[in-house]
Amino acid sequence: SLGARPVFMLSKYTGVAVEGGVDIVKSQVSGSGTEVLGKLTVAGLIRPAADFWARPELRVFVTAATWNGAVNDAGGTGGAAFAGDTAGVTFGVQAESCW
């Protein structure tokens, strides 16, 4: 696995995070080959300060991913939503806090 998530602050409280990554896995399922998945996520964020570790943080995100047929063969496509596909898009809201 390889990935990175740079964060670009637009103001003291708002920013944009961009996360990209790739996973390459030698499948444990016989005959399915090497599994490859790539993804790109863009998220708008709100946090109490411009510090990277400032929390709580609220994110609104969209993720686009693509994968090869070996991922499908191994049953790793996230269930019925992406069954048989080799690409997908999802979006949502995420909150992160630490204490």
Side-chain angles (χ1 to χ4, degrees):
S1 293
L2 179 66
R5 184 191 342 167
V7 175
F8 306 95
M9 294 305 293
L10 304 175
S11 72
K12 183 176 179 180
Y13 305 110
T14 62
V16 175
V18 179
E19 181 174 319
V22 64
D23 293 304
I24 301 171
V25 178
K26 183 177 179 187
S27 181
Q28 299 299 308
V29 177
S30 179
S32 65
T34 300
E35 301 169 38
V36 180
L37 180 139
K39 72 158 191 148
L40 178 66
T41 298
V42 178
L45 56 91
I46 299 172
R47 60 167 72 144
D51 177 18
F52 182 83
W53 299 108
R55 299 293 185 267
E57 182 173 281
L58 180 66
R59 301 181 197 113
V60 177
F61 69 90
V62 61
T63 297
T66 184
W67 55 90
N68 66 357
V71 175
N72 289 338
D73 295 343
T77 59
F82 297 110
D85 293 337
T86 56
V89 175
T90 189
F91 59 91
V93 177
Q94 178 183 32
E96 182 175 330
S97 181
C98 43
W99 55 88

